[in-house]
Amino acid sequence: QQPVQSPQAVILREGEDAVINCSSSKALYSVHWYRQKHGEAPVFLMILLKGGEQKGHEKISASFNEKKQQSSLYLTASQLSYSGTYFCGTERAQGAQKLVFGQGTRLTINP
Amino acid sequence: DVKVTQSSRYLVKRTGEKVFLECVQDMDHENMFWYRQDPGLGLRLIYFSYDVKMKEKGDIPEGYSVSREKKERFSLILESASTNQTSMYLCASSPPGMGYGYTFGSGTRLTVV
């Protein structure tokens, strides 16, 4: 069963903040986040392992609440280059190594 | 940098044809995956492989098969292409173990007419 991402789409002005959520009905071991620009391959951003750890990557960070089976991706002071579709990928068991992806969140940053 | 190369960017095939989609990675990764991407549905796993000659079904394997004769190459086969298999196909690879993300190829957009 695929995780559910929200919102499905968001439009921001440059410099604004965004939060993208990823929820699963199943217990999770890890959550991956990827960004895909139009016509390109998805690119790995970060992975969060079971333990509630928060990670950061430039002005993009994420958290993982294993009790709620939820992860959130935070984009602060968004830049034009942040535009794209963001996917979460969930791994249900340690060692499974196969990801089930959400349906994606399209982020548009306008000048 | 790890490179995952998919042999064709665009492909048009006729209904009933046998179709081969090829994927090659150059970093000696054990894990390889085939996903299809459709608007509003995200990426859905078709098949994956943890090692040479090993394969496991993903969430939507019907109508597909795979082959992994060499570590670097993972092929997706559509035995008899149908119009509902028109889609973007993405190949990915990753090292074994925890904490590693996938590296994706640029995709093959397949149209079945």
Side-chain angles (χ1 to χ4, degrees):
Chain A
Q1 193 170 3
Q2 289 182 275
V4 176
Q5 289 184 231
S6 62
Q8 290 187 330
V10 59
I11 300 173
L12 299 175
R13 288 197 180 278
E14 197 173 6
E16 292 182 333
D17 300 341
V19 180
I20 299 171
N21 300 302
C22 174
S23 296
S24 174
S25 58
K26 306 280 187 182
L28 301 176
Y29 176 74
S30 73
V31 179
H32 295 215
W33 285 97
Y34 293 78
R35 175 172 61 209
Q36 184 180 31
K37 293 186 178 289
H38 183 69
E40 298 181 10
V43 173
F44 174 66
L45 295 176
M46 66 188 76
I47 181 173
L48 298 105
L49 301 177
K50 192 174 178 179
E53 160 183 15
Q54 181 151 352
K55 297 191 83 170
H57 177 76
E58 297 178 342
K59 292 182 181 177
I60 301 174
S61 62
S63 63
F64 177 24
N65 186 326
E66 64 191 83
K67 290 183 181 177
K68 294 186 177 179
Q69 290 102 248
Q70 289 179 349
S71 178
S72 295
L73 185 71
Y74 307 95
L75 299 99
T76 57
S78 58
Q79 304 169 13
L80 295 176
S81 62
Y82 288 178
S83 291
T85 300
Y86 289 79
F87 293 97
C88 67
T90 56
E91 183 181 13
R92 291 186 199 147
Q94 182 176 355
Q97 298 178 71
K98 62 168 185 172
L99 297 179
V100 180
F101 285 90
Q103 80 278 21
T105 296
R106 178 175 286 186
L107 176 65
T108 303
I109 310 295
N110 291 322
Chain B
D1 277 352
V2 177
K3 228 179 182 180
V4 177
T5 303
Q6 295 185 231
S7 55
S8 303
R9 188 77 174 100
Y10 298 95
L11 215 50
V12 180
K13 296 291 182 181
R14 294 194 180 278
T15 302
E17 275 193 80
K18 191 169 186 176
V19 181
F20 293 85
L21 302 184
E22 305 289 343
C23 175
V24 177
Q25 51 96 0
D26 66 0
M27 277 298 287
D28 206 34
H29 283 176
E30 276 77 3
N31 302 333
M32 296 189 75
F33 309 87
W34 275 106
Y35 286 86
R36 64 175 282 176
Q37 182 175 21
D38 300 288
L41 297 178
L43 287 75
R44 293 178 293 164
L45 182 63
I46 305 171
Y47 267 95
F48 59 104
S49 170
Y50 292 146
D51 203 347
V52 176
K53 296 194 186 294
M54 292 184 65
K55 59 186 178 184
E56 293 198 34
K57 293 180 180 179
D59 298 318
I60 51 164
E62 296 77 21
Y64 303 95
S65 62
V66 289
S67 171
R68 195 167 181 196
E69 296 296 321
K70 293 186 177 180
K71 192 174 185 180
E72 66 270 19
R73 186 179 297 271
F74 192 34
S75 303
L76 180 69
I77 304 155
L78 286 69
E79 298 291 343
S80 177
S82 63
T83 54
N84 62 14
Q85 293 178 309
T86 291
S87 186
M88 171 67 83
Y89 289 87
L90 290 167
C91 176
S93 73
S94 74
M98 300 182 301
Y100 297 103
Y102 288 7
T103 300
F104 282 90
S106 297
T108 295
R109 182 164 295 281
L110 173 68
T111 303
V112 183
V113 298

